[in-house]
Amino acid sequence: MASEREKMLSGELYLAADTELVALRRAARRLTHTFNATREDEPEARVAILRELLGACGPNIEIEPPFRCDYGANISVGDGFYMNFDGVILDCAAVEIGAHVLCGPGVHIYAATHPLLANERMTGLESARPVRIGDRVWLGGRVIVCPGVTIGADTTIAAGSVVTRDIPAGVLAGGNPCRVIRRLDER
């Protein structure tokens, strides 16, 4: 029989109140609390904490405190990743972020979701769907990326957008729900 953690990572309904999952979230909260308490003149300490918290990360990454996540271990970010203040990543499933991705302030990335039916929600069961963001993507301030979304490489998502479905590579997209506005061509 699969553990609640295995169910969570495979996209099945799982019980978030499971003792193993609660312990993993508490460990992530301790690390993010320590990270968020660092000062501007402690960039090495910040990176060391992020390397302990995140599942995988490139050699040059920067996240501005405050930052929040569920587990951390399900997040992978590529080289040159930057996340501005007030970032949130709910990583109940894999959140894979490519190289040289830039996130404006208040960007939220959600892999976590809940059943639509109230009776099912009331059981305490949750689910999650992976999020994938390609290389060289820019997420403007206050962008929300919803569960199960893939954003293609070289795409810009306008500030304040709510990304509810996949967005292709090489486009400018925006709005709520987020839609492709136009193709972006190299100059």
Side-chain angles (χ1 to χ4, degrees):
M1 188 158 149
S3 71
E4 296 302 310
R5 182 179 184 197
E6 290 168 334
K7 290 179 196 176
M8 177 182 79
L9 294 173
S10 69
E12 297 175 49
L13 289 172
Y14 68 94
L15 189 59
D18 175 70
T19 55
E20 177 189 19
L21 294 177
V22 169
L24 291 169
R25 285 193 305 275
R26 283 184 180 154
R29 300 290 191 287
R30 283 190 292 274
L31 284 171
T32 56
H33 177 78
T34 302
F35 174 81
N36 291 333
T38 61
R39 297 184 318 265
E40 305 73 43
D41 61 348
E42 300 177 303
E44 296 86 9
R46 287 180 177 177
V47 170
I49 295 165
L50 290 173
R51 292 199 187 292
E52 184 178 349
L53 175 65
L54 303 179
C57 56
N60 300 300
I61 63 166
E62 185 176 359
I63 297 176
E64 301 284 358
F67 170 71
R68 303 254 188 274
C69 65
D70 276 328
Y71 299 95
N74 303 319
I75 301 169
S76 64
V77 298
D79 187 38
F81 174 73
Y82 176 79
M83 180 172 258
N84 211 322
F85 305 107
D86 297 322
V88 173
I89 302 177
L90 301 184
D91 62 313
C92 301
V95 176
E96 299 170 1
I97 302 172
H100 306 288
V101 170
L102 305 175
C103 298
V107 166
H108 288 201
I109 301 170
Y110 305 146
T113 188
H114 299 273
L116 294 178
L117 299 174
N119 287 341
E120 225 174 36
R121 262 194 321 275
M122 300 316 300
T123 67
L125 293 173
E126 299 180 8
S127 64
R129 297 187 350 238
V131 173
R132 292 176 180 83
I133 299 171
D135 294 340
R136 299 170 305 279
V137 167
W138 176 22
L139 302 175
R142 295 286 176 207
V143 164
I144 296 173
V145 179
C146 291
V149 166
T150 295
I151 299 173
D154 304 313
T155 283
T156 297
I157 306 294
S161 297
V162 179
V163 186
T164 60
R165 59 181 165 256
D166 293 354
I167 302 293
V171 300
L172 169 63
N176 180 6
C178 188
R179 295 193 172 134
V180 173
I181 296 169
R182 67 179 172 91
R183 295 236 20 105
L184 296 174
D185 298 319
E186 291 292 324
R187 294 180 196 227

mmCIF file of all heavy atoms in Angstrom, residues 79 96-102 132-140 150-158 167-173 180-187:
data_model
loop_
_atom_site.group_PDB
_atom_site.id
_atom_site.type_symbol
_atom_site.label_atom_id
_atom_site.label_comp_id
_atom_site.label_asym_id
_atom_site.label_seq_id
_atom_site.Cartn_x
_atom_site.Cartn_y
_atom_site.Cartn_z
ATOM 1 N N ASP A 79 20.061 27.124 -12.983
ATOM 2 C CA ASP A 79 21.058 28.173 -12.782
ATOM 3 C C ASP A 79 20.463 29.535 -13.140
ATOM 4 O O ASP A 79 19.684 29.662 -14.087
ATOM 5 C CB ASP A 79 22.283 27.885 -13.659
ATOM 6 C CG ASP A 79 23.420 28.839 -13.375
ATOM 7 O OD1 ASP A 79 23.616 29.193 -12.191
ATOM 8 O OD2 ASP A 79 24.118 29.237 -14.324
ATOM 9 N N GLU A 96 9.174 22.131 -11.316
ATOM 10 C CA GLU A 96 10.439 22.166 -12.053
ATOM 11 C C GLU A 96 10.542 23.508 -12.764
ATOM 12 O O GLU A 96 9.721 23.827 -13.626
ATOM 13 C CB GLU A 96 10.495 21.022 -13.058
ATOM 14 C CG GLU A 96 10.404 19.663 -12.398
ATOM 15 C CD GLU A 96 10.222 18.529 -13.398
ATOM 16 O OE1 GLU A 96 10.177 18.784 -14.624
ATOM 17 O OE2 GLU A 96 10.088 17.387 -12.939
ATOM 18 N N ILE A 97 11.563 24.272 -12.396
ATOM 19 C CA ILE A 97 11.762 25.607 -12.941
ATOM 20 C C ILE A 97 13.120 25.626 -13.633
ATOM 21 O O ILE A 97 14.130 25.254 -13.037
ATOM 22 C CB ILE A 97 11.692 26.663 -11.825
ATOM 23 C CG1 ILE A 97 10.323 26.585 -11.114
ATOM 24 C CG2 ILE A 97 11.955 28.053 -12.384
ATOM 25 C CD1 ILE A 97 10.201 27.451 -9.882
ATOM 26 N N GLY A 98 13.148 26.074 -14.880
ATOM 27 C CA GLY A 98 14.357 26.044 -15.688
ATOM 28 C C GLY A 98 15.392 27.086 -15.296
ATOM 29 O O GLY A 98 15.277 27.771 -14.282
ATOM 30 N N ALA A 99 16.396 27.210 -16.146
ATOM 31 C CA ALA A 99 17.502 28.138 -15.927
ATOM 32 C C ALA A 99 17.109 29.552 -16.326
ATOM 33 O O ALA A 99 16.322 29.756 -17.253
ATOM 34 C CB ALA A 99 18.722 27.691 -16.739
ATOM 35 N N HIS A 100 17.655 30.507 -15.614
ATOM 36 C CA HIS A 100 17.497 31.937 -15.897
ATOM 37 C C HIS A 100 16.039 32.385 -15.879
ATOM 38 O O HIS A 100 15.639 33.262 -16.650
ATOM 39 C CB HIS A 100 18.189 32.304 -17.209
ATOM 40 C CG HIS A 100 19.618 31.879 -17.218
ATOM 41 N ND1 HIS A 100 20.588 32.506 -16.466
ATOM 42 C CD2 HIS A 100 20.227 30.848 -17.837
ATOM 43 C CE1 HIS A 100 21.739 31.883 -16.637
ATOM 44 N NE2 HIS A 100 21.545 30.871 -17.452
ATOM 45 N N VAL A 101 15.260 31.781 -14.993
ATOM 46 C CA VAL A 101 13.872 32.182 -14.793
ATOM 47 C C VAL A 101 13.846 33.320 -13.779
ATOM 48 O O VAL A 101 14.528 33.266 -12.751
ATOM 49 C CB VAL A 101 13.009 30.996 -14.315
ATOM 50 C CG1 VAL A 101 11.621 31.448 -13.882
ATOM 51 C CG2 VAL A 101 12.911 29.945 -15.412
ATOM 52 N N LEU A 102 13.065 34.351 -14.077
ATOM 53 C CA LEU A 102 12.930 35.513 -13.202
ATOM 54 C C LEU A 102 11.492 35.611 -12.723
ATOM 55 O O LEU A 102 10.555 35.515 -13.518
ATOM 56 C CB LEU A 102 13.292 36.796 -13.959
ATOM 57 C CG LEU A 102 14.666 36.823 -14.629
ATOM 58 C CD1 LEU A 102 14.823 38.099 -15.438
ATOM 59 C CD2 LEU A 102 15.770 36.687 -13.593
ATOM 60 N N ARG A 132 5.602 22.916 -14.453
ATOM 61 C CA ARG A 132 6.879 22.986 -15.172
ATOM 62 C C ARG A 132 6.996 24.351 -15.835
ATOM 63 O O ARG A 132 6.082 24.778 -16.542
ATOM 64 C CB ARG A 132 6.973 21.876 -16.209
ATOM 65 C CG ARG A 132 7.072 20.507 -15.569
ATOM 66 C CD ARG A 132 7.066 19.370 -16.586
ATOM 67 N NE ARG A 132 7.172 18.098 -15.906
ATOM 68 C CZ ARG A 132 6.151 17.438 -15.370
ATOM 69 N NH1 ARG A 132 4.939 17.932 -15.437
ATOM 70 N NH2 ARG A 132 6.337 16.280 -14.766
ATOM 71 N N ILE A 133 8.146 25.000 -15.601
ATOM 72 C CA ILE A 133 8.401 26.315 -16.179
ATOM 73 C C ILE A 133 9.731 26.229 -16.920
ATOM 74 O O ILE A 133 10.751 25.868 -16.328
ATOM 75 C CB ILE A 133 8.431 27.395 -15.077
ATOM 76 C CG1 ILE A 133 7.066 27.443 -14.361
ATOM 77 C CG2 ILE A 133 8.809 28.757 -15.658
ATOM 78 C CD1 ILE A 133 7.024 28.308 -13.132
ATOM 79 N N GLY A 134 9.727 26.538 -18.210
ATOM 80 C CA GLY A 134 10.903 26.406 -19.060
ATOM 81 C C GLY A 134 11.972 27.454 -18.789
ATOM 82 O O GLY A 134 11.784 28.391 -18.000
ATOM 83 N N ASP A 135 13.088 27.303 -19.459
ATOM 84 C CA ASP A 135 14.219 28.221 -19.336
ATOM 85 C C ASP A 135 13.840 29.632 -19.796
ATOM 86 O O ASP A 135 13.032 29.807 -20.705
ATOM 87 C CB ASP A 135 15.397 27.748 -20.194
ATOM 88 C CG ASP A 135 15.997 26.434 -19.722
ATOM 89 O OD1 ASP A 135 15.794 26.058 -18.548
ATOM 90 O OD2 ASP A 135 16.674 25.781 -20.537
ATOM 91 N N ARG A 136 14.456 30.603 -19.165
ATOM 92 C CA ARG A 136 14.383 32.020 -19.557
ATOM 93 C C ARG A 136 12.964 32.588 -19.537
ATOM 94 O O ARG A 136 12.645 33.491 -20.297
ATOM 95 C CB ARG A 136 15.055 32.256 -20.912
ATOM 96 C CG ARG A 136 16.538 31.900 -20.930
ATOM 97 C CD ARG A 136 17.116 31.916 -22.320
ATOM 98 N NE ARG A 136 16.393 31.063 -23.243
ATOM 99 C CZ ARG A 136 16.552 29.739 -23.345
ATOM 100 N NH1 ARG A 136 17.421 29.124 -22.591
ATOM 101 N NH2 ARG A 136 15.837 29.040 -24.216
ATOM 102 N N VAL A 137 12.134 32.081 -18.657
ATOM 103 C CA VAL A 137 10.770 32.602 -18.493
ATOM 104 C C VAL A 137 10.818 33.766 -17.504
ATOM 105 O O VAL A 137 11.591 33.760 -16.552
ATOM 106 C CB VAL A 137 9.818 31.495 -17.993
ATOM 107 C CG1 VAL A 137 8.491 32.053 -17.507
ATOM 108 C CG2 VAL A 137 9.595 30.462 -19.091
ATOM 109 N N TRP A 138 9.984 34.755 -17.739
ATOM 110 C CA TRP A 138 9.819 35.861 -16.808
ATOM 111 C C TRP A 138 8.375 35.867 -16.342
ATOM 112 O O TRP A 138 7.452 35.962 -17.151
ATOM 113 C CB TRP A 138 10.181 37.183 -17.463
ATOM 114 C CG TRP A 138 9.950 38.394 -16.607
ATOM 115 C CD1 TRP A 138 9.866 38.451 -15.229
ATOM 116 C CD2 TRP A 138 9.754 39.720 -17.058
ATOM 117 N NE1 TRP A 138 9.650 39.728 -14.820
ATOM 118 C CE2 TRP A 138 9.575 40.546 -15.923
ATOM 119 C CE3 TRP A 138 9.716 40.306 -18.320
ATOM 120 C CZ2 TRP A 138 9.366 41.907 -16.012
ATOM 121 C CZ3 TRP A 138 9.510 41.669 -18.403
ATOM 122 C CH2 TRP A 138 9.346 42.456 -17.264
ATOM 123 N N LEU A 139 8.183 35.743 -15.030
ATOM 124 C CA LEU A 139 6.864 35.826 -14.415
ATOM 125 C C LEU A 139 6.772 37.181 -13.732
ATOM 126 O O LEU A 139 7.492 37.451 -12.764
ATOM 127 C CB LEU A 139 6.663 34.709 -13.386
ATOM 128 C CG LEU A 139 6.815 33.265 -13.886
ATOM 129 C CD1 LEU A 139 6.697 32.283 -12.724
ATOM 130 C CD2 LEU A 139 5.814 32.957 -14.971
ATOM 131 N N GLY A 140 5.923 38.063 -14.233
ATOM 132 C CA GLY A 140 5.783 39.399 -13.660
ATOM 133 C C GLY A 140 5.210 39.353 -12.251
ATOM 134 O O GLY A 140 4.728 38.323 -11.773
ATOM 135 N N THR A 150 2.149 23.955 -17.521
ATOM 136 C CA THR A 150 3.488 24.016 -18.113
ATOM 137 C C THR A 150 3.591 25.332 -18.876
ATOM 138 O O THR A 150 2.696 25.678 -19.644
ATOM 139 C CB THR A 150 3.718 22.843 -19.082
ATOM 140 O OG1 THR A 150 3.697 21.622 -18.328
ATOM 141 C CG2 THR A 150 5.055 22.958 -19.794
ATOM 142 N N ILE A 151 4.699 26.051 -18.637
ATOM 143 C CA ILE A 151 4.980 27.294 -19.350
ATOM 144 C C ILE A 151 6.246 27.065 -20.164
ATOM 145 O O ILE A 151 7.282 26.695 -19.613
ATOM 146 C CB ILE A 151 5.165 28.476 -18.381
ATOM 147 C CG1 ILE A 151 3.884 28.697 -17.563
ATOM 148 C CG2 ILE A 151 5.561 29.748 -19.150
ATOM 149 C CD1 ILE A 151 4.016 29.733 -16.457
ATOM 150 N N GLY A 152 6.167 27.267 -21.477
ATOM 151 C CA GLY A 152 7.291 27.023 -22.370
ATOM 152 C C GLY A 152 8.414 28.034 -22.204
ATOM 153 O O GLY A 152 8.226 29.135 -21.676
ATOM 154 N N ALA A 153 9.595 27.662 -22.675
ATOM 155 C CA ALA A 153 10.794 28.492 -22.585
ATOM 156 C C ALA A 153 10.594 29.833 -23.293
ATOM 157 O O ALA A 153 9.804 29.947 -24.235
ATOM 158 C CB ALA A 153 11.980 27.755 -23.203
ATOM 159 N N ASP A 154 11.346 30.826 -22.826
ATOM 160 C CA ASP A 154 11.412 32.148 -23.468
ATOM 161 C C ASP A 154 10.081 32.888 -23.476
ATOM 162 O O ASP A 154 9.850 33.747 -24.322
ATOM 163 C CB ASP A 154 11.957 32.031 -24.899
ATOM 164 C CG ASP A 154 13.317 31.360 -24.926
ATOM 165 O OD1 ASP A 154 14.178 31.744 -24.120
ATOM 166 O OD2 ASP A 154 13.508 30.443 -25.748
ATOM 167 N N THR A 155 9.205 32.587 -22.539
ATOM 168 C CA THR A 155 7.893 33.216 -22.453
ATOM 169 C C THR A 155 7.882 34.253 -21.343
ATOM 170 O O THR A 155 8.566 34.096 -20.333
ATOM 171 C CB THR A 155 6.808 32.142 -22.237
ATOM 172 O OG1 THR A 155 6.567 31.496 -23.490
ATOM 173 C CG2 THR A 155 5.508 32.697 -21.717
ATOM 174 N N THR A 156 7.109 35.305 -21.540
ATOM 175 C CA THR A 156 6.887 36.329 -20.525
ATOM 176 C C THR A 156 5.415 36.299 -20.134
ATOM 177 O O THR A 156 4.541 36.332 -21.005
ATOM 178 C CB THR A 156 7.257 37.730 -21.067
ATOM 179 O OG1 THR A 156 8.656 37.749 -21.363
ATOM 180 C CG2 THR A 156 6.942 38.813 -20.050
ATOM 181 N N ILE A 157 5.170 36.230 -18.826
ATOM 182 C CA ILE A 157 3.811 36.272 -18.298
ATOM 183 C C ILE A 157 3.626 37.633 -17.622
ATOM 184 O O ILE A 157 4.368 37.989 -16.704
ATOM 185 C CB ILE A 157 3.552 35.138 -17.280
ATOM 186 C CG1 ILE A 157 3.884 33.756 -17.861
ATOM 187 C CG2 ILE A 157 2.113 35.210 -16.773
ATOM 188 C CD1 ILE A 157 3.008 33.299 -19.001
ATOM 189 N N ALA A 158 2.653 38.403 -18.092
ATOM 190 C CA ALA A 158 2.417 39.758 -17.603
ATOM 191 C C ALA A 158 2.021 39.763 -16.128
ATOM 192 O O ALA A 158 1.374 38.835 -15.639
ATOM 193 C CB ALA A 158 1.331 40.426 -18.443
ATOM 194 N N ILE A 167 0.955 27.329 -21.359
ATOM 195 C CA ILE A 167 1.309 28.462 -22.214
ATOM 196 C C ILE A 167 2.511 28.024 -23.047
ATOM 197 O O ILE A 167 3.496 27.507 -22.495
ATOM 198 C CB ILE A 167 1.657 29.715 -21.370
ATOM 199 C CG1 ILE A 167 0.483 30.124 -20.462
ATOM 200 C CG2 ILE A 167 2.107 30.863 -22.260
ATOM 201 C CD1 ILE A 167 -0.745 30.636 -21.183
ATOM 202 N N PRO A 168 2.488 28.224 -24.371
ATOM 203 C CA PRO A 168 3.589 27.751 -25.223
ATOM 204 C C PRO A 168 4.862 28.587 -25.050
ATOM 205 O O PRO A 168 4.860 29.639 -24.408
ATOM 206 C CB PRO A 168 3.024 27.910 -26.634
ATOM 207 C CG PRO A 168 2.007 28.977 -26.530
ATOM 208 C CD PRO A 168 1.421 28.872 -25.145
ATOM 209 N N ALA A 169 5.916 28.122 -25.678
ATOM 210 C CA ALA A 169 7.207 28.807 -25.654
ATOM 211 C C ALA A 169 7.172 30.061 -26.515
ATOM 212 O O ALA A 169 6.428 30.142 -27.491
ATOM 213 C CB ALA A 169 8.304 27.865 -26.156
ATOM 214 N N GLY A 170 7.988 31.051 -26.114
ATOM 215 C CA GLY A 170 8.232 32.212 -26.949
ATOM 216 C C GLY A 170 7.074 33.163 -27.147
ATOM 217 O O GLY A 170 6.934 33.741 -28.221
ATOM 218 N N VAL A 171 6.245 33.334 -26.106
ATOM 219 C CA VAL A 171 5.097 34.235 -26.241
ATOM 220 C C VAL A 171 5.024 35.206 -25.079
ATOM 221 O O VAL A 171 5.613 34.987 -24.015
ATOM 222 C CB VAL A 171 3.756 33.458 -26.340
ATOM 223 C CG1 VAL A 171 3.736 32.528 -27.531
ATOM 224 C CG2 VAL A 171 3.449 32.715 -25.049
ATOM 225 N N LEU A 172 4.274 36.273 -25.285
ATOM 226 C CA LEU A 172 3.828 37.158 -24.217
ATOM 227 C C LEU A 172 2.403 36.740 -23.913
ATOM 228 O O LEU A 172 1.569 36.642 -24.826
ATOM 229 C CB LEU A 172 3.862 38.618 -24.678
ATOM 230 C CG LEU A 172 3.179 39.636 -23.743
ATOM 231 C CD1 LEU A 172 3.871 39.697 -22.393
ATOM 232 C CD2 LEU A 172 3.136 41.005 -24.402
ATOM 233 N N ALA A 173 2.124 36.467 -22.648
ATOM 234 C CA ALA A 173 0.783 36.058 -22.238
ATOM 235 C C ALA A 173 0.387 36.852 -21.006
ATOM 236 O O ALA A 173 1.247 37.254 -20.211
ATOM 237 C CB ALA A 173 0.751 34.557 -21.957
ATOM 238 N N VAL A 180 -2.450 33.852 -24.466
ATOM 239 C CA VAL A 180 -1.381 34.341 -25.329
ATOM 240 C C VAL A 180 -1.817 35.670 -25.945
ATOM 241 O O VAL A 180 -2.916 35.781 -26.502
ATOM 242 C CB VAL A 180 -1.040 33.309 -26.431
ATOM 243 C CG1 VAL A 180 -0.050 33.896 -27.431
ATOM 244 C CG2 VAL A 180 -0.487 32.033 -25.805
ATOM 245 N N ILE A 181 -0.928 36.673 -25.850
ATOM 246 C CA ILE A 181 -1.186 37.991 -26.443
ATOM 247 C C ILE A 181 -0.509 38.081 -27.806
ATOM 248 O O ILE A 181 -1.117 38.518 -28.780
ATOM 249 C CB ILE A 181 -0.700 39.106 -25.502
ATOM 250 C CG1 ILE A 181 -1.505 39.068 -24.198
ATOM 251 C CG2 ILE A 181 -0.780 40.476 -26.171
ATOM 252 C CD1 ILE A 181 -0.955 39.939 -23.076
ATOM 253 N N ARG A 182 0.748 37.652 -27.860
ATOM 254 C CA ARG A 182 1.470 37.641 -29.138
ATOM 255 C C ARG A 182 2.729 36.824 -29.013
ATOM 256 O O ARG A 182 3.201 36.533 -27.932
ATOM 257 C CB ARG A 182 1.802 39.056 -29.588
ATOM 258 C CG ARG A 182 2.810 39.786 -28.709
ATOM 259 C CD ARG A 182 3.078 41.186 -29.262
ATOM 260 N NE ARG A 182 3.872 41.979 -28.360
ATOM 261 C CZ ARG A 182 5.195 42.050 -28.369
ATOM 262 N NH1 ARG A 182 5.901 41.370 -29.246
ATOM 263 N NH2 ARG A 182 5.835 42.825 -27.515
ATOM 264 N N ARG A 183 3.289 36.446 -30.172
ATOM 265 C CA ARG A 183 4.577 35.733 -30.226
ATOM 266 C C ARG A 183 5.680 36.730 -29.932
ATOM 267 O O ARG A 183 5.577 37.917 -30.266
ATOM 268 C CB ARG A 183 4.806 35.121 -31.598
ATOM 269 C CG ARG A 183 3.788 34.051 -31.902
ATOM 270 C CD ARG A 183 4.280 32.673 -32.262
ATOM 271 N NE ARG A 183 5.591 32.240 -31.917
ATOM 272 C CZ ARG A 183 5.876 31.381 -30.924
ATOM 273 N NH1 ARG A 183 4.923 30.911 -30.167
ATOM 274 N NH2 ARG A 183 7.102 30.995 -30.715
ATOM 275 N N LEU A 184 6.758 36.260 -29.341
ATOM 276 C CA LEU A 184 7.940 37.089 -29.103
ATOM 277 C C LEU A 184 9.032 36.598 -30.047
ATOM 278 O O LEU A 184 9.378 35.415 -30.026
ATOM 279 C CB LEU A 184 8.406 36.964 -27.657
ATOM 280 C CG LEU A 184 7.439 37.480 -26.587
ATOM 281 C CD1 LEU A 184 7.958 37.162 -25.198
ATOM 282 C CD2 LEU A 184 7.227 38.986 -26.750
ATOM 283 N N ASP A 185 9.552 37.491 -30.863
ATOM 284 C CA ASP A 185 10.622 37.126 -31.801
ATOM 285 C C ASP A 185 11.917 37.756 -31.344
ATOM 286 O O ASP A 185 11.938 38.907 -30.903
ATOM 287 C CB ASP A 185 10.282 37.608 -33.214
ATOM 288 C CG ASP A 185 9.008 36.956 -33.741
ATOM 289 O OD1 ASP A 185 8.837 35.741 -33.503
ATOM 290 O OD2 ASP A 185 8.184 37.652 -34.372
ATOM 291 N N GLU A 186 13.018 36.998 -31.493
ATOM 292 C CA GLU A 186 14.350 37.537 -31.179
ATOM 293 C C GLU A 186 14.644 38.706 -32.084
ATOM 294 O O GLU A 186 14.286 38.714 -33.253
ATOM 295 C CB GLU A 186 15.415 36.444 -31.359
ATOM 296 C CG GLU A 186 15.335 35.339 -30.337
ATOM 297 C CD GLU A 186 15.696 35.792 -28.932
ATOM 298 O OE1 GLU A 186 16.598 36.641 -28.766
ATOM 299 O OE2 GLU A 186 15.065 35.289 -27.994
ATOM 300 N N ARG A 187 15.344 39.686 -31.575
ATOM 301 C CA ARG A 187 15.718 40.856 -32.394
ATOM 302 C C ARG A 187 17.202 40.927 -32.512
ATOM 303 O O ARG A 187 17.968 40.571 -31.754
ATOM 304 C CB ARG A 187 15.184 42.118 -31.756
ATOM 305 C CG ARG A 187 13.692 42.089 -31.789
ATOM 306 C CD ARG A 187 13.138 43.341 -31.150
ATOM 307 N NE ARG A 187 11.756 43.046 -30.876
ATOM 308 C CZ ARG A 187 10.778 43.843 -31.167
ATOM 309 N NH1 ARG A 187 11.003 44.985 -31.713
ATOM 310 N NH2 ARG A 187 9.548 43.520 -30.902
#
